[in-house]
Amino acid sequence: NRMPTYERLFKSAVVLEKDPEQVAELPARQIRKVASFPLNSLDVSEDGKRLAWCGFMEEHIEVVDIASLERVATCRYGGVTDLAFDPKGGRLALIGADPLVWDFANGIIGQLEDTEPGVYKTAAFTKDSSTVLSAGHRDRLVAWNAQSRRIDWRQQESGDVLSIDVSYDGQLVAVCCGSEGVRVRDVESGDAVGSFAGVRSADQTPALPGEVKVPIDVCFSPTENLCAVLVHNREATGALQCTVELWTYVSRDGDFVANHVGHLASPRKGTMNAITFSPDGGLIAMCGCFGRVLLFDVEGLELVAMCQHPDVDPLDVLDLYETFCADFGQGGAVLATGHLDGSIVVW
């Protein structure tokens, strides 16, 4: 629990306003249309070799080989809103109307205890694979024992939960509650320990009349005490500017201290939907409108590369290939993205 070196680097850092056309564009290695509807979520296994996806209104879940996108396993189960790999491999948490744990290596499905039926929205395993976390239904955060499949604890949140993530040391879970901010809880007990309160705008000024700033996604660095929060900054004119706010934190003996240390900004206005760190924590991928993914160097706060769905027509005003989800694989050598048209692209 030490403050990372980013604290020193961010003190005098500024955002580099660079046009996407001036940065490297990554080539697509593989593309496969896997669904008839938009992809809700995808996740890459801890070893970086397997990818799982779920789609809106799709009646099945797939695990595929990330190198070839060839099918490895299929689960005939629909209504899944999010999924997450067990860090030890072989299992997936499937979250939706009926939360499940799917042992795809052995073809076994186990339903998690669900005393209050409803649709859950988010999924995460703890780092030791002992607990499944989910939230969304009636604004509750729920922790299940992954072996007994019974509820360990349940906590009420103050707003609609949009995303959750577990810290690299497995001790904390960050809960993104939209306009209510980002709360941080202890994984073992579920008790609130702090927050990334008052997620700020890119220029660190309060919102002006008519402006709205809403956290959309949260992601912990896999290597350091660093957390990234994707924020939608809706201007009074109606234009949307998306930023990633970066926070360092220290959590020790029940005390939690967070410091805002910098931000990354999308060079163009438009919706961004999700963020993810590379396995070494050196890059952040921000994905969103027009099939676009922006890659930022975390240390230098610099846009270094971008990807755009190969089928995007620059003259088409319809956003048919919007990127909803992304994750790194093969130790950070590739990036997988899920799109509105039901396709997966590996870069």
Side-chain angles (χ1 to χ4, degrees):
N1 287 329
R2 60 184 178 83
M3 205 62 89
T5 55
Y6 301 125
E7 178 78 9
R8 172 177 56 81
L9 296 170
F10 283 146
K11 284 184 177 178
S12 60
V14 295
V15 173
L16 178 61
E17 298 291 350
K18 184 182 291 186
D19 191 286
E21 295 177 357
Q22 298 175 341
V23 302
E25 185 167 349
L26 303 183
R29 290 188 178 184
Q30 298 280 347
I31 181 170
R32 177 187 164 206
K33 186 172 174 61
V34 296
S36 302
F37 298 96
L39 296 187
N40 290 342
S41 175
L42 60 79
D43 193 33
V44 175
S45 59
E46 196 74 9
D47 63 7
K49 298 179 180 179
R50 299 285 185 265
L51 180 151
W53 64 265
C54 62
F56 177 73
M57 294 181 66
E58 291 294 329
E59 294 300 320
H60 70 287
I61 310 299
E62 276 189 357
V63 177
V64 300
D65 178 82
I66 197 169
S68 64
L69 294 184
E70 293 295 326
R71 185 183 298 111
V72 173
T74 302
C75 178
R76 296 293 175 182
Y77 178 73
V80 176
T81 57
D82 197 13
L83 47 74
F85 271 104
D86 177 350
K88 294 181 179 179
R91 296 186 302 175
L92 275 167
L94 306 180
I95 297 301
D98 297 307
L100 308 171
V101 172
W102 173 31
D103 183 347
F104 63 87
N106 298 304
I108 301 172
I109 297 176
Q111 184 163 352
L112 299 172
E113 179 185 29
D114 191 14
T115 56
E116 298 179 350
V119 177
Y120 294 88
K121 300 178 183 177
T122 60
F125 260 101
T126 53
K127 301 304 180 183
D128 62 1
S129 303
S130 65
T131 305
V132 176
L133 295 162
S134 184
H137 173 50
R138 297 185 181 178
D139 303 332
R140 287 184 173 90
L141 178 66
V142 181
W144 287 276
N145 182 294
Q147 295 301 321
S148 68
R149 302 196 293 274
R150 292 188 174 276
I151 293 176
D152 280 342
W153 52 260
R154 182 190 292 113
Q155 295 288 352
Q156 182 71 43
E157 298 295 344
S158 57
D160 186 26
V161 179
L162 302 178
S163 71
I164 60 176
D165 196 31
V166 177
S167 62
Y168 80 101
D169 59 7
Q171 298 180 7
L172 303 173
V173 56
V175 187
C176 180
C177 298
S179 59
E180 297 298 320
V182 179
R183 181 174 288 106
V184 181
R185 293 187 178 275
D186 179 79
V187 164
E188 186 174 349
S189 66
D191 295 336
V193 298
S195 67
F196 299 113
V199 175
R200 309 176 190 182
S201 63
D203 57 8
Q204 299 298 290
T205 58
L208 298 173
E211 289 185 335
V212 180
K213 302 178 185 298
V214 180
I216 297 298
D217 195 14
V218 63
C219 187
F220 280 109
S221 167
T223 59
E224 295 276 5
N225 285 18
L226 181 72
C227 185
V229 181
L230 175 62
V231 181
H232 282 188
N233 304 281
R234 180 71 67 180
E235 300 172 1
T237 60
L240 181 64
Q241 176 67 52
C242 295
T243 61
V244 177
E245 306 300 326
L246 298 167
W247 301 73
T248 56
Y249 63 91
V250 172
S251 179
R252 184 183 297 112
D253 300 328
D255 294 327
F256 181 85
V257 178
N259 294 303
H260 185 273
V261 291
H263 73 276
L264 309 167
S266 173
R268 294 177 179 172
K269 298 186 187 302
T271 302
M272 289 292 170
N273 298 313
I275 53 176
T276 186
F277 276 96
S278 61
D280 64 359
L283 296 174
I284 287 181
M286 182 196 304
C287 63
C289 59
F290 295 103
R292 189 179 300 140
V293 182
L294 305 177
L295 295 177
F296 292 89
D297 175 69
V298 175
E299 188 172 297
L301 295 176
E302 182 180 6
L303 178 64
V304 293
M306 70 167 289
C307 320
Q308 191 164 34
H309 195 289
D311 294 336
V312 169
D313 183 348
L315 302 179
D316 193 348
V317 297
L318 298 177
D319 195 356
L320 301 177
Y321 302 97
E322 183 174 2
T323 313
F324 286 121
C325 43
D327 202 6
F328 287 89
Q330 296 181 354
V334 300
L335 176 70
T337 56
H339 298 268
L340 177 66
D341 70 327
S343 65
I344 292 175
V345 183
V346 177
W347 311 87

